């Protein structure tokens, strides 16, 4: 299993950052490179606990669909989503928010496992983990820039 841990310091109120991180609309804007579009479940606005969203996106030259569900949420401190259907064998993304000196620390803990046994593990290690980290960093940059306006 691969794990990505990121911390992003944002000079904005915790509630604002929390809402931006769960905004379907902002997510679609931040992932324009992969043409990510919400096509089922919650397709706009702020996703809530127990809601699902199905995304269609082009990753690595292939259109894929991915359905996630928010399995826990404590406003404005955390929410966690898991993959219900998609190309990964397992995917869990914890979003944690902490107040620090008038700013917000946004923490991502992103855990995933690819299918295909040893080939999937090698693909994770040599390519996918870095690809997913860069994907999250780009998304976090958009959240930060939007929150700090």
């Amino acid at each position: 299993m691969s794990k990505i841990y990121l911390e992003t310091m944002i000079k904005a109120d915790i509630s604002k950052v929390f809402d931006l991180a769960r905004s379907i609309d902002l997510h679609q804007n931040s992932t324009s490179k992969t043409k990510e579009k919400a096509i089922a479940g919650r397709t706009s606005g702020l996703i809530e606990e127990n809601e699902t969203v199905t995304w269609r996106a082009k990753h690595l030259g292939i259109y894929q669909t991915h359905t996630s569900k928010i399995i826990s949420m404590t406003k404005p401190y955390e929410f966690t989503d898991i993959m219900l259907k998609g190309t990964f064998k397992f995917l869990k993304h914890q979003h944690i928010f902490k107040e620090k000196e008038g700013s917000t620390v946004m923490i991502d803990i992103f855990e995933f496992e690819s299918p295909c046994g040893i080939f999937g593990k090698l693909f994770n290690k040599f390519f996918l983990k870095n690809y997913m980290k860069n994907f999250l960093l780009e998304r976090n940059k958009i959240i930060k820039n939007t929150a700090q306006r």
Side-chain angles (χ1 to χ4, degrees), residues 85-119:
K85 294 179 188 172
T87 55
F88 290 95
K89 184 176 179 180
F90 171 83
L91 189 145
K92 179 180 177 183
H93 188 177
Q94 293 175 274
H95 309 255
I96 301 165
F97 306 85
K98 296 180 180 180
E99 295 173 296
K100 185 175 182 181
E101 300 169 3
S103 293
T104 300
V105 179
M106 182 172 69
I107 300 167
D108 291 280
I109 303 172
F110 190 84
E111 299 171 274
F112 65 96
E113 187 173 348
S114 295
C116 303
I118 189 70
F119 296 110

Side-chain angles (χ1 to χ4, degrees), residues 8-144:
T8 306
M9 180 67 78
I10 302 173
K11 293 178 186 174
D13 177 73
I14 191 170
S15 293
K16 183 177 186 177
V17 176
F18 181 83
D19 285 348
L20 289 171
R22 63 192 184 100
S23 168
I24 301 294
D25 305 302
L26 183 70
H27 184 85
Q28 290 179 118
N29 290 339
S30 72
T31 57
S32 61
K33 290 178 185 175
T34 57
K35 299 179 174 93
E36 205 148 321
K37 175 103 174 111
I39 59 169
R42 168 70 79 157
T43 58
S44 66
L46 302 177
I47 196 158
E48 299 287 348
E49 187 172 10
N50 293 317
E51 289 187 325
T52 63
V53 59
T54 299
W55 299 100
R56 184 170 193 272
K58 190 173 189 176
H59 289 280
L60 308 174
I62 302 166
Y63 276 100
Q64 303 172 31
T65 58
H66 171 101
T67 301
S68 292
K69 179 178 182 178
I70 305 298
I71 60 166
S72 71
M73 183 179 288
T74 306
K75 296 178 183 178
Y77 302 105
E78 67 83 24
F79 68 95
T80 300
D81 60 270
I82 61 166
M83 181 195 73
L84 297 178
K85 294 179 188 172
T87 55
F88 290 95
K89 184 176 179 180
F90 171 83
L91 189 145
K92 179 180 177 183
H93 188 177
Q94 293 175 274
H95 309 255
I96 301 165
F97 306 85
K98 296 180 180 180
E99 295 173 296
K100 185 175 182 181
E101 300 169 3
S103 293
T104 300
V105 179
M106 182 172 69
I107 300 167
D108 291 280
I109 303 172
F110 190 84
E111 299 171 274
F112 65 96
E113 187 173 348
S114 295
C116 303
I118 189 70
F119 296 110
K121 288 179 183 181
L122 291 170
F123 184 65
N124 282 358
K125 182 177 180 176
F126 293 109
F127 178 77
L128 192 57
K129 185 174 182 180
N130 201 40
Y131 177 86
M132 294 308 301
K133 181 178 178 182
N134 288 331
F135 181 82
L136 292 170
L137 286 169
E138 181 65 27
R139 181 179 174 276
N140 289 356
K141 185 171 102 178
I142 301 290
I143 292 171
K144 181 176 182 170

